[in-house]
Amino acid sequence: MSNVKNYTEQGGEKTVIGGTLEIAEGGQVIGLPSDFTPAAFQADSVASTIAGLVVDFNALLAKLKAAGLMATE
């Protein structure tokens, strides 16, 4: 039994991360499947009324939902 949290098993087929895995700036993780879809662009709000801000905010929510980044219900 090992007393370290992070280790690679003999043969290199399995690496166990029991501690923290930190990806430093500029680092990359490759080979992982990703279904990430960025949300459509939302311009900065220039609303001058609460009603206008509500319209802009709801547009942002709609874009997040359309991209699958927020549940629809």
Side-chain angles (χ1 to χ4, degrees), residues 12-63:
E13 292 295 319
K14 179 179 179 181
T15 298
V16 176
I17 306 296
T20 299
L21 175 63
E22 178 180 338
I23 309 298
E25 184 175 344
Q28 297 181 35
V29 176
I30 56 175
L32 293 176
S34 174
D35 294 333
F36 177 76
T37 303
F41 176 76
Q42 174 69 37
D44 292 347
S45 178
V46 292
S48 58
T49 65
I50 297 297
L53 187 58
V54 167
V55 170
D56 291 347
F57 183 71
N58 285 337
L60 174 61
L61 293 177
K63 290 173 182 174

